[in-house]
Amino acid sequence: MTTTAERAVGQPIGRVEGPDKVRGAARYAAEYPVGDDLAYAWVAQSPVARGTLTDVTVDPLVEADDVLAVLWHGNAPRLAEADDPELAVFQSDRISYRGQALALVVARTLEAARRAAATLQLDIEQEPHDSVLRTDHPELYTPEKVNPNFPSDTASGDVEAALAGAPVTVDVTYRTPPLHNSPMEPHATTALWADDDLVLYDSNQHPPGVAASIGGLFGLPADRVHVITEHVGGGFGSKGTARPNAVLAAMAAKVTGRPVRLALPRQALFSMVGHRTPTIQRVRLAATADGHLTAIDHDVVEQSSRLFEFAEQTAVSTRHMYAAANRRTGHRLVRLDMPTPRWMRAPGEAPGMVALECAMDELAVVLDLDPIELRVRNEPSVEPESGTPFSSRHYVECLRRGAERFGWHDRDPRPKQRREGDWWIGTGVAGATYPTMAQPSTARVRRLSGDSYEVSIAATDLGTGARTILTQIAADALEVPVSQVRMRIGDSTLPRASVAGGSSGSASWGWAVTGACRSLRESGREEATFDSSELIKQQEKDGKHAFGAHFAEVRVDAMTGEVRVSRLFGMYAAGRILNPRTARSQFLGGMIMGMGMALHEESVLDPAQGTWVNHDLAEYHIPVHADIESIEAEWLDEQDDQLNPMGSKGIGEIGIVGSPAAILNAIWHATGVRVRDLPARLDKILPHL
Amino acid sequence: MKTFTYRTATDVAHGLEPGATFLAGGTNLVDLMKLGVATPDVLVDVTRLGLDEVADLPGGGLRIGAGVRNSDLAADSRVRRDWPVLSQALLAGASGQLRNMATTAGNLLQRTRCRYFMDATMPCNKHEPGSGCPAREGDHRNLAILGASEACVATHPSDMAVALAALDAVVQISGPAGERTVPVTELHRLPGDTPERDTVLEHGELITAVDLPPLGFAARSAYRKVRDRASYAFAVGSVAAAIQVDAGAVTDVRLAFGAVAHKPWRAYTAEEALRGRPATRESFLDAADAELTAARPLRDNAFKVALTRNLVVSVLEGLS
Ligand SMILES: Cc1cc2nc3c(=O)[nH]c(=O)nc-3n(C[C@H](O)[C@H](O)[C@H](O)COP(=O)(O)OP(=O)(O)OC[C@H]3O[C@@H](n4cnc5c(N)ncnc54)[C@H](O)[C@@H]3O)c2cc1C
Ligand code: SF4
């Protein structure tokens, strides 16, 4: 049977649900028909950043027949204690940020709900607010740990002495703005109670997690909450846990006794569901004259809300990127009257590697050394902080091979040398890394009549191709063609899966699916279930990362400061690539989001109003088609048998790690202008041209 | 959204109902209604008035119907040949889908993209007179450097209007008090103390057409727009220009700036400074500076002065 083994994994199979999506047959959370008595909900959000809500009055003229309920903390059902205070909706009179949900109107029609919400009178005692992140904020503190469970501070050797004694140093501060995930499908829930059980059609990245947290709030065991998440139009981390929309819809359905639908409007996605914290990062590097790092210091200042300590792990990738005897990383946090940050694609790595990889470029310039060569000279043999060997690390190969493919060898290192017409042209490079993780999951496989198999796991497909890859993995483990595998995911009642996050979905779910399918095949039974928990518990966690290198060529208009990215190239070493077609999309998508981070994306704070003032996709810019000229991703054939049965590493996030730095470094090379405050808009470049 | 009544107007006179708000492509008005910024009681759809033709005017020039779609106007072969600046400006705006819906009059009368104006929960003198102008101290990176007031620093966002202002186009208006014409350069107001009024139109006045007068040298004209991404974004600076050069000297010129003021900014001072001068970089720079001495930038939009200056030079050099 060896000829049939492994024939599906590695093939560029198209998405199995692709035809349904193209025909509009794929259903999203707000699209399920659930009965004629469906009611619609609309959220009234706080117009102030801090205060208390003392009363809510409904305009009697508006509260016509169509309005079924108006919920707020004065009348809402009490919920059990929430782990995530953002889910304790209407449980207190405190207002913690502008845009927080203060009331919910439930009505027979969407229009009526919306109109009534707009005319609600919210009596608020407003208090002065504080919304500005700064390095001298008196309330900065060191959190106990940063996400998910790293020490906030690490130190070894004597950084100050190394800096003082080094012939070459760099001391730079980079700022990244608040960013919003902005998935195409907004957060949405259709909720209904069937007897005492709760059914939620909900857009999220983790159906079993949502079932457990919503169940907890309403005093139900997780198995009495049925979360259906068949298709998800993106999440980028912002749907990793239950969001307030799920709680509100469930609450409204309970109070009205009807199914209730709540789809958040785009504007609400800019406050209620999470964002990437802004960061202020100081990086100090010390090196010998021949470019060997003697000290690395990465100090991060970032924010969270009054509600919840969300401490992003911004400097964590600095702990394993480069060798240096003296090292320090640290995170300090301030709690502001702003919404709670959450995960956004490569939380920690994406902003952290902007500062580190731009600082490395700045060091290369001071040393008059090629930036690739500088990185190669500081390649560590083991994880510098933990001392753990890498399960595989092909960073140098990515840099070298990438340089070849991109055409780096004859680059003039001096800035502002290439001009074509009005365009200054330059190139830049930056490293990429992302941790390789797997989380416990369980899968079940059943032999169906005929020669097909049903494989079940409560995973979700955010549009990434997860369903397709799991089908391929199952087919190989069963030693059958993919056409004989029916993959069931997106339902909390299926065997428990981990979250679609941390680029760990394919590894975690694929592990469980492989185990179940192999067990069925080997035992010859009709059904088999496999739980990967024990194997994962025994596994070494340190030393496992994907690596990559990003290359960018930009042109900058000498008259206007406009930046265009002529070429963007990524070379990755990310274990075994399970499906080159969907993998390529993940890499390119990450790189494009990296371009957005470098050049376009920014939630603009108005300190006086205590909020971000751009909150739709006309004003919050992400790259459009015309911004993408040449973009390519390639990968090395990396073998690593210490990871999981597939030998795969996560690929969903690494594309956004380092790609912004490559673009910023290219802007410097083109123009001699260092933009250290993202995004690199023309007004930050033009005055220096 | 507030409940409203909807009617379709079938002839101009019939459309002029007091208190009505005209609906054309709806690409701006409907958005503002959804945001709660526009709250009309009566919507009168003016897209069935037959104002969707581009006709030749007797002495040369074109009469552009108020309802002509932006896509159609941009593609019109006469426009592309004789007034390329207009076609280019249209094509630089919005997206293909939006241009298929957007109309000539609707485009002229689209409202500012000031982020406070577009958020009904924010104070803003334009949507709530007397409530203040948070943009002045807050977010104003893309707001006005010319002609603004204490009360309002908004910009007019249209690309098309900048080209029309440069080309001396004239707006044909039909209203309860009869018909009148207003040059595009005088259609929009400066904000002064009454920023709630964008234009000189009286309530109930309908734009029926925009006349484009003949301008021989407009065959050499261009629109250059700068924005924060390659496409599908409003201008942060733009210049519409047409120039006539004879024996190395500027004999005539038309110049207008976008994204700098509450109206498309016709650069009369710069034009005056250029006429008769050699068509050189120095003259172009001097002319731009002459116009821009009036600029009063705010904390975060001073870059627009240099940007507009560079655009003037770059566009005029390209044309001459
Ligand atoms: C995402 C986005 C991006 C955009 N980008 C750009 C851009 O880059 N550049 C640009 O220039 N524009 C841009 N636009 C704006 C677009 O050009 C305008 O929305 C459009 O031109 C408006 O035309 P309309 O026919 O849809 O007007 P409507 O929305 O129907 O009406 C606009 C206003 O005009 C009034 N009106 C309409 N017709 C008449 C008439 N005959 N007489 C009197 N009053 C009338 C209406 O009452 C209303 O007040 C963008 C819009 C969007 C949504
Ligand atoms: S600039 Fe004008 S439109 Fe913007 S907030 Fe001020 S008053 Fe309102």
Side-chain angles (χ1 to χ4, degrees), chain B residues 70 73-76 79-81 83-92 163 167 223:
Chain B
N70 286 179
L73 184 57
D76 188 284
V79 173
R80 289 172 52 188
R81 187 187 62 226
W83 298 271
V85 60
L86 177 58
S87 180
Q88 289 170 19
L90 283 159
L91 292 175
L167 295 171
Y223 186 73

Side-chain angles (χ1 to χ4, degrees), chain A residues 9-10 30 77 154 171 203 217 231 294 314 344 384 416 427 468 477 518 531 536 587 590 677:
Chain A
V9 167
T154 58
D171 178 352
S203 181
L217 292 170
H231 299 288
T294 53
T314 305
M344 177 164 165
K416 223 173 176 180
T427 52
T468 309
R518 277 190 191 156
D531 177 353
I536 288 177
F587 290 133
D677 173 17

